[in-house]
Amino acid sequence: MAQTTPNHTQTVSGWAAHDSSGKITPYTFKRRENGPDDVTIEILYCGICHTDLHYAKNEWGITMYPVVPGHEMTGVISKVGSNVKKFKIGDRVGVGCIAASCLSCEFCQDSQENYCEKLQFTYNGIFWDGSITYGGYSKMFVSDQRYVVHIPESLPMDAAAPLLCAGITVFTPMKDMDLIHSPRKKVGVVGLGGLGHIAVKFGKAFGHHVTVISTSASKEKEAKERLGADEFIVSKDPQQMQKHKRTLDFVLDTVSAQHCIGPILELLKVNGTLSIVGAPDKPIQLPSFPLIFGKRTVKGSIIGGIQETQEMMDLCGKYNITSDIEVVKPDDINHAMERLTKNDVRYRFVIDIAQNNTKL
């Protein structure tokens, strides 16, 4: 059972799952008072990530009920602590996956808080004061200023929300490969969902040749005409896969379903890199031959540090990159999650938290 502390005196309306059925219902709870290093945020929008579904249904066996999901929130600051210098009342801001880290390890010191061993998440985590964290499916949020980013004025707050998880998840490995400033390269994106469609937008904005790799031939028109992809490969078609063998410099795998990455590795040039950001619930099949005969690298990546997240958000403002979204009311969260299980969304659900309906 989630716990609070005596400092939690602010009553907040939100939406929570209370058991493994995953059903989301209205929930009133307490948040902590705004401390000297905190900002209080009036939440306007919150994206629905597939991770929210896993936690709501306790599919990973670690949920602390009741759980208030949501780690893609945008809103406006309504209060600032006495030590806060970067933000002021009225600022447009966002909060992603991180609620706390140790602040002293090598990763925190290097602005890679996402790899801190004591990292705590925006919901279902343990904050510094010992309380269980509640996420963005709520009207208000209190965050340490170190985990908050500015939202550029040019970006709509609803379509910017998924950038705080889906966006940074694909941005970080692309930055690691120096794709932001490097000469034109051939980039592959596996999967055209909530993560993949943003990766395509980044690749094109950074000037690269982008190939989408998907099991669904029906997505080719969408990939090319709507998102600007240069090529499309149906991964179930052996002839197409053979045709594109050794053509790509880098591949970003965003797929969260179980799949074999051997054929995908064959698409890479010698010395090419495959970065995995999807999280299948079963082990990935990794044949050795495509690795050793191509001198290829397979690596993983998870979200990004706060400094990196701000850099991404600023670049999104520069290139006008947002998520393609479907806005839903709080009444419709459960229906949206049902559709999410069927991948029936193009490409991210975002909850309009500020609207007045409260029934589910």
Side-chain angles (χ1 to χ4, degrees):
M1 182 67 69
Q3 300 293 322
T4 61
T5 72
N7 188 40
H8 287 60
T9 59
Q10 300 193 87
T11 301
V12 183
S13 297
W15 297 267
H18 294 263
D19 54 50
S20 60
S21 70
K23 183 178 180 181
I24 305 293
T25 57
Y27 178 53
T28 301
F29 59 98
K30 301 285 188 178
R31 288 208 189 275
R32 71 180 186 272
E33 286 296 322
N34 196 93
D37 293 303
D38 291 333
V39 296
T40 296
I41 301 166
E42 177 191 350
I43 300 175
L44 300 179
Y45 298 97
C46 187
I48 299 179
C49 177
H50 208 282
T51 299
D52 300 348
L53 188 60
H54 289 309
Y55 274 106
K57 294 188 174 183
N58 197 24
E59 292 177 345
W60 293 334
I62 57 175
T63 302
M64 296 176 282
Y65 292 111
V67 61
V68 177
H71 56 207
E72 296 178 342
M73 66 190 91
T74 56
V76 177
I77 290 182
S78 59
K79 188 183 297 184
V80 297
S82 57
N83 294 337
V84 175
K85 306 301 180 187
K86 295 191 302 180
F87 303 98
K88 64 182 185 302
I89 293 174
D91 280 356
R92 294 157 38 100
V93 295
V95 174
C97 302
I98 304 176
S101 60
C102 78
L103 302 179
S104 60
C105 70
E106 61 177 304
F107 302 107
C108 287
Q109 293 296 310
D110 192 35
S111 298
Q112 296 187 78
E113 303 92 343
N114 48 315
Y115 295 111
C116 174
E117 288 189 350
K118 296 182 179 179
L119 172 72
Q120 296 297 328
F121 292 116
T122 302
Y123 66 86
N124 207 68
I126 310 292
F127 194 63
W128 292 319
D129 62 8
S131 63
I132 306 298
T133 57
Y134 291 123
Y137 290 17
S138 58
K139 296 286 189 179
M140 179 267 276
F141 191 80
V142 180
S143 175
D144 186 287
Q145 64 172 326
R146 283 165 283 208
Y147 307 106
V148 181
V149 297
H150 289 278
I151 305 295
E153 291 291 334
S154 61
L155 297 181
M157 295 285 269
D158 51 1
L163 298 175
L164 292 154
C165 174
I168 189 61
T169 295
V170 298
F171 175 82
T172 298
M174 297 179 87
K175 181 186 176 184
D176 286 346
M177 292 299 297
D178 196 31
L179 293 178
I180 302 174
H181 304 294
S182 68
R184 184 176 174 86
K185 294 193 176 195
K186 290 197 170 183
V187 175
V189 177
V190 185
L192 196 63
L195 277 66
H197 88 286
I198 300 178
V200 173
K201 292 184 179 186
F202 280 141
K204 293 305 298 179
F206 301 153
H208 301 295
H209 182 283
V210 178
T211 298
V212 171
I213 303 139
S214 173
T215 58
S216 303
S218 60
K219 291 185 177 181
E220 180 170 3
K221 182 177 180 180
E222 177 97 355
K224 289 182 175 179
E225 296 183 8
R226 182 173 177 177
L227 299 173
D230 299 284
E231 295 189 71
F232 189 92
I233 302 173
V234 179
S235 58
K236 294 189 294 186
D237 187 327
Q239 290 184 329
Q240 289 190 34
M241 294 292 283
Q242 179 64 29
K243 176 184 175 182
H244 290 87
K245 187 176 179 179
R246 291 194 174 193
T247 61
L248 303 177
D249 297 290
F250 171 71
V251 173
L252 184 66
D253 189 340
T254 71
V255 175
S256 59
Q258 186 182 21
H259 61 293
C260 179
I261 64 174
I264 297 169
L265 284 169
E266 297 282 13
L267 299 175
L268 286 167
K269 298 176 182 178
V270 173
N271 281 319
T273 297
L274 170 65
S275 185
I276 296 172
V277 295
D281 57 1
K282 296 181 180 179
I284 292 173
Q285 301 172 46
L286 175 58
S288 59
F289 281 2
L291 276 181
I292 60 181
F293 279 97
K295 200 181 179 182
R296 299 175 176 111
T297 299
V298 177
K299 61 189 297 188
S301 179
I302 183 172
I303 52 173
I306 303 304
Q307 181 176 306
E308 207 163 41
T309 304
Q310 186 65 68
E311 178 186 0
M312 174 213 64
M313 198 63 74
D314 292 342
L315 283 170
C316 287
K318 176 181 178 180
Y319 293 111
N320 193 30
I321 294 173
T322 56
S323 175
D324 289 7
I325 63 170
E326 182 176 336
V327 177
V328 298
K329 299 175 182 179
D331 306 54
D332 301 320
I333 293 174
N334 289 309
H335 183 230
M337 284 192 162
E338 289 174 7
R339 289 178 54 192
L340 184 59
T341 62
K342 304 171 185 176
N343 294 318
D344 178 23
V345 57
R346 291 290 185 275
Y347 285 98
R348 204 71 157 189
F349 287 116
V350 172
I351 308 165
D352 183 355
I353 298 291
Q355 66 87 48
N356 293 322
N357 292 332
T358 57
K359 296 181 180 180
L360 287 174

